[in-house]
Amino acid sequence: MKALPTFLLAALLAACGGGGSSTGEPPPPVDHAVPGRFVLRVASLGSSSGYVALEEKPRPYRDGLPSAPVDRRIRIGGQGAGHVYTPPEDWSLIDMALHPSGEISAVLATHRALRLVRLDAQARELTRAELTDPAAPLDPYYDQGGIKDDTAMLPLHTRDSVRLAALGEDLAVALRTGRHAVVAYRYAHTAQGGYTQRWRSLVEPGTTVMARYLTSGSHDTYGQLANHFQVLLAANAHGDLAVAVPAAPHNNAFAAHAAHFFAAPEGPVPPELPDYGAIVTRLDGQGRNLGAAFVDTGGPTQVFALRALETGWALAGRHKVAGREGGWNGFAAWLDGAGRLQRHAVLHVEEDDVLFDIAALPGGRHLVAGATGYRQNPAGASISDDGAPLLAVLDAQGRLAQRLALPAGPGQNPVRSLEGQGGRWLVGGMRGGPGTHTADADPARLRADGYVREVLAP
């Protein structure tokens, strides 16, 4: 009988209540502090104590500075001291994906270039490859008078525009190029050959994306001013992918999509174009486009999460509330397996709200993570110094059913990431983070303390 891999054996032991100590006692719940950084994303290693976290140090906002560096690192945590991967000098770590083997893929960026890196379970580099694309300068482009760089692999104004998802030991990548096109790729990986591109698929044509800036302030609290450049990526258990692209008048995404994919006489009649929301495009494991859905949120929107579900896909973020000046509500939307919008929900807990992650619970319920109790300038993007953590259960209709308590401190306390772990959930976020103006007079106040914490959802 073939032996089980160590990571799978640990997962089975944890599911059976074992895998803790030699006496059969389960390990203590995860509750790890990350001083000076917050946890942007967390993934489970399949045991009751192991995790991989993407940590970030809050960075100052500098008006008009193109593609400022991002200070992120990967932490592999558990019962021991853990392991940390920090990118080389002049490179920013942007995203990571955990593979079934326990290896990790990461993507690094300069202000123009991208690199893929494969790490082992001790955060040691195994292989690397430059992510280049000779076809990128040739992608269609719908010009509305903006700025672009045809030969760059990411936009001029942000490095945070590439996402990864594991497809077994293969890797899916979605990114926005310097031409502002959205492209997806699949890479195979071997220890001998490293990363090899299997296919490339154009998701959205290039188009003008206008840069947006704070007129004052020292920190972009929720990354909201780069949100319209970003893309989201998720893979389901069948190996299909979904790519979500935020859409608004200042990034022309709906109009460019219609001009490219619904062009007469070859294409179908375009639907009525919304102003705000997202475009969710599905791809199969071979890169074939299975269709796109327009998600209309009816007002200014920021989409922060895309999650694969058993029967489809879920989006989460926030949108501006009509009739409530300056107010933001959390929102979630559910699409079926064919990409059709099934329902959406608005979440208002206290003051302003935002959702950063969403995951399925039994019985059609969902667990959501975000922030509440903050305020945003009605006429701008400034976010208050204080905000409360939001970890909540939504019922099968998307209504708030229960709010779960989490420790918080003075300052911003958003919950950023969720990951299931054998009936429990790993939660990653920050305590005591800055608002837009917290560090204006004192740069030392630009700090946050992160955490990875284990909770039991009802």
Side-chain angles (χ1 to χ4, degrees), residues 172-410:
V173 182
L175 57 85
R176 189 185 292 277
T177 69
R179 198 174 174 84
H180 296 158
V182 177
V183 186
Y185 310 83
R186 181 169 182 160
Y187 285 85
H189 184 270
T190 63
Q192 296 75 28
Y195 290 101
T196 303
Q197 187 183 123
R198 293 181 56 184
W199 50 254
R200 173 194 200 271
S201 182
L202 179 67
V203 177
E204 295 296 336
T207 187
T208 299
V209 178
M210 299 294 185
R212 310 182 82 193
Y213 304 104
L214 287 166
T215 56
S216 64
S218 52
H219 182 60
D220 183 4
T221 302
Y222 298 152
Q224 58 182 318
L225 298 176
N227 178 263
H228 57 293
F229 286 101
Q230 292 171 357
V231 297
L232 299 171
L233 175 66
N236 65 18
H238 306 292
D240 293 335
L241 300 169
V243 181
V245 178
H250 50 263
N251 70 7
N252 304 290
F254 285 132
H257 181 99
H260 183 68
F261 291 105
F262 300 120
E266 295 84 4
V269 176
E272 183 176 351
L273 299 180
D275 290 323
Y276 295 95
I279 306 172
V280 181
T281 300
R282 295 173 301 113
L283 305 171
D284 70 10
Q286 306 305 313
R288 290 184 290 259
N289 193 316
L290 301 176
F294 286 3
V295 180
D296 183 0
T297 55
T301 302
Q302 290 165 357
V303 182
F304 291 105
L306 170 66
R307 175 80 69 153
L309 307 175
E310 285 188 10
T311 58
W313 312 89
L315 292 170
R318 68 174 187 164
H319 76 98
K320 208 163 189 177
V321 183
R324 185 159 67 92
E325 185 181 18
W328 292 83
N329 279 348
F331 92 92
W334 289 268
L335 286 69
D336 66 13
R340 295 178 295 251
L341 179 64
Q342 297 299 290
R343 68 186 191 280
H344 71 276
V346 173
L347 189 67
H348 180 52
V349 181
E350 53 179 287
E351 299 290 350
D352 289 345
D353 314 285
V354 58
L355 299 183
F356 290 116
D357 207 353
I358 183 169
L361 294 172
R365 300 172 304 147
H366 289 82
L367 186 65
V368 294
T372 188
Y374 68 93
R375 289 298 295 161
Q376 180 156 331
N377 180 353
S382 294
I383 288 176
S384 59
D385 289 350
D386 296 293
L390 179 58
L391 183 64
V393 176
L394 306 184
D395 66 18
Q397 286 71 48
R399 298 171 300 200
L400 180 64
Q402 184 177 357
R403 186 173 171 187
L404 308 180
L406 283 176

Side-chain angles (χ1 to χ4, degrees), residues 17-148:
S21 67
S22 59
T23 62
E25 292 294 323
V30 175
D31 190 5
H32 293 172
V34 185
R37 293 172 180 263
F38 65 91
V39 174
L40 186 65
R41 198 162 299 117
V42 64
S44 171
L45 281 170
S47 70
S48 59
S49 59
Y51 67 87
V52 180
L54 183 65
E55 303 171 354
E56 179 173 335
K57 184 177 180 180
R59 55 180 173 151
Y61 176 85
R62 298 185 179 94
D63 189 287
L65 181 65
S67 198
V70 180
D71 188 352
R72 293 175 183 165
R73 66 187 186 188
I74 293 172
R75 177 182 299 275
I76 303 173
Q79 292 289 331
H83 307 279
V84 173
Y85 171 78
T86 302
E89 188 177 359
D90 299 327
W91 288 86
S92 295
L93 169 66
I94 305 300
D95 199 19
M96 67 173 191
L98 176 64
H99 298 278
S101 63
E103 293 180 355
I104 300 163
S105 286
V107 61
L108 314 182
T110 65
H111 67 287
R112 302 184 76 253
L114 294 174
R115 173 184 293 172
L116 297 176
V117 176
R118 191 81 159 202
L119 308 175
D120 68 11
Q122 285 74 48
R124 295 175 299 209
E125 184 176 311
L126 298 173
T127 63
R128 68 170 69 172
E130 308 309 304
L131 201 169
T132 59
D133 185 356
L138 307 176
D139 285 328
Y141 182 75
Y142 295 87
D143 191 357
Q144 301 294 323
I147 299 172
K148 62 183 175 70

Side-chain angles (χ1 to χ4, degrees), residues 27 170 223 244 332 414:
D170 281 7

